[in-house]
Each structure stands twice: as structure tokens, then as C-alpha cells.
Amino acid sequence: MTRTIGINLGATNAVAVWLDGDTPRAVTNTEGSGSTPVAVGFGGGSLLVGDSALLAAPRPGSVASGFRDRLGTDWTVTLDGAEHTAVELVGHLLAYLKSCAEAASKDTVTGAVIAVPSGFTDAQRRALVVAAARAGLSARTVDAPAATVVAHGLDKEADGTRVLVVHLGGATCTATVLTIDGNTPHVTTTCGDGALGGQPWTAALANWGAEEFGRRTRAEAPLDAGALARLAREAERVKHALSSSTVATFTVENLVGAEGLAVDVSRPKFELLTRDLLARVAGLAEQVLKDAGGPAGGVDHLVLSGAATRMPKVPRQITTLLGGTTPRGDVPAHLVAAYGALRS
């Protein structure tokens, strides 16, 4: 049996979904995660994709990431002495997702519907289709905000229905108002911040960890690159833990010599450290509502997408802004764009 999968191709992470009957299932990668970093590297003569590229190919010039937005340009990167285009690298990523989807579904995957930013150019979309063909996939693209609306079935709402989609991914945040017309969601207005996403939240927590280590140990030696990388990885883990727990332990060994860090972090502390980032998310939502015209209460539905929206303070802040309109919860936020792409 052959099948088509849905893919949300983010700037920093890609998520793929397959349908088990009518139920969307996340495609888990070889590391057991439902989200794969947009990264390709070479180590020991082998091609590495996703987490394995980031973890096993740390040498300068051996790994590339964040190349999605280079599609449709003449950008190239040299990895282990060989030159690669964005089309080639995205092709490797899509081939990896295809193989993982086939392992999960036990079917042959021949097609993909790929959700991309609404601002993606025609050249970028054409290049993405070429990259998919290199991976053995017949592909088409859809706008991620529209796919998010479709995932929740809101495209079937009455004409004139307005939906606010707030996307908070790994590296970017966008707020988009869409209006339903003839069972099709149309973008009314959108705004975004290309320097706002889950990564700044991680960085804020990692910086706090470094400062806490210095305060507790009075260590004078600066942290080296390896220590800073371990702090960042632990900050990412703690960030995720605080989405479901009110307290998490931040633990990193041997930051300087035998000195390490083990300290509890509460969710309120984390929210205090990142309050300026949350204010920027709310500011985007306020701006897009202003640009769309009409009061906040004129939005009929709120939909969140992107794994970073699982941080509890994010939906609470947007709900307050909208005067109590709560986000739709039909489909998990980290799967919604990929699932919506598959349904589009």
C-alpha cells in the first residue's frame, strides 16, 4: 500500500504526520522523537540527519542547519570538503522523514503535502518540490496558517468566520488572521518576528544556569564551548519539563573541572526570566488584530501551532488578550500544521 504524509517544514524543526485510519500519528524519528531538527551533517563518511547530525557532527564545517529559507536561492555550503545546495540538504531531510514514516506506517510513502510559511516565495516552493522529488516524494505545498485552520475543521465554518492563528516554533513567531470564504481559509493579515521562538526561551534559561553556576561556585574561569553546549541542551530539557511540571531540576556535571550545577527551577521562575519574550508574542497578536480591523472579541476562534505554544503561559496570555477566547484543542499544537497539510 502507498500513502501520502503531511509535513510541517519549520525553520528549525520538521514534523511529519501519517493517518492511522482517521487518527493523526506523529512520525517518530530514529531517536524516538516526533520532531526532527532541520540539520544535515557528515561524520565518519556517513550522512547524518536531524539530532544525529547535531550530536555526532560537531566539528566546524561538518553540519548545516537552518537551510530551509535558503531554498530558491543560489546559496551553497561546504560540508566535509563538498559543496551542497539547499535543495540537496532539504532532499536529505525529506528522505529521512520518508523512511521514518515508512517504518511507522509499514507502507510505502510516495507523496507529501508540505506546510510552509505563507510568505514562502514561488521560487522557494518550486525548489521544495524539487527537493521532495530527490527524496522520492511527489509533493505540493500549502500555507501553514491555512493548514492549521483546516486541521481543526474550521474551514467548514460559515463565511465571514475569523480565526486567529498564533504560531510559536523553534525560531520564529507569527500571528495571522484568516477569514473563511467558501470553505476556504484566506489570510486577512499576518505579522511575524523572525527572532522569536522556542530557542530564545531556551537561551534565557541557559544564561540563567550559567549565571547561577558562577554565583554558586565563584568560578573565575569562563565556561568553554563544550560546557555552554551542555548548558543549552539541559535548558532545552528543563524547558520542556516545565510545560507539564511546576518544578524541574537543572543538572549539568563538570562545567569547570569537577564543578557542576544542580538546582531546582520553578515554572514561575522560568516565566519571570522570559516575560519579555511572552510580551513580544502578545504584541504580535495585538498588532495583527489591529491590522485586521475590529476588536479582539471579533475573532471567532483561536488556534495555536508550534511546540513552543505548549508552554502554559503562552495560551493563557493570548486567551486574556482575546477576552477569554480559549484555543482549540482538537489536534495537538505540535502536529496541527502537518495534519492540516495532509487534510488540505
Side-chain angles (χ1 to χ4, degrees), residues 162-165 177 282 284-302 317-326:
R162 298 206 315 168
V163 184
L164 171 62
V165 176
V177 172
L284 286 177
E286 288 180 306
Q287 184 61 52
V288 80
L289 290 169
K290 179 181 177 182
D291 293 345
V299 173
D300 301 290
H301 299 284
L302 167 64
Q317 184 78 11
I318 304 302
T319 293
T320 299
L321 173 66
L322 296 180
T325 300
T326 57

Side-chain angles (χ1 to χ4, degrees), residues 15-19 23-29 33-35 100-101 104 334-335 338:
V15 174
V17 164
W18 64 283
L19 285 181
T23 304
R25 304 287 187 193
V27 173
T28 54
N29 59 29
S33 173
S35 178
C100 292
H334 63 295
L335 301 181

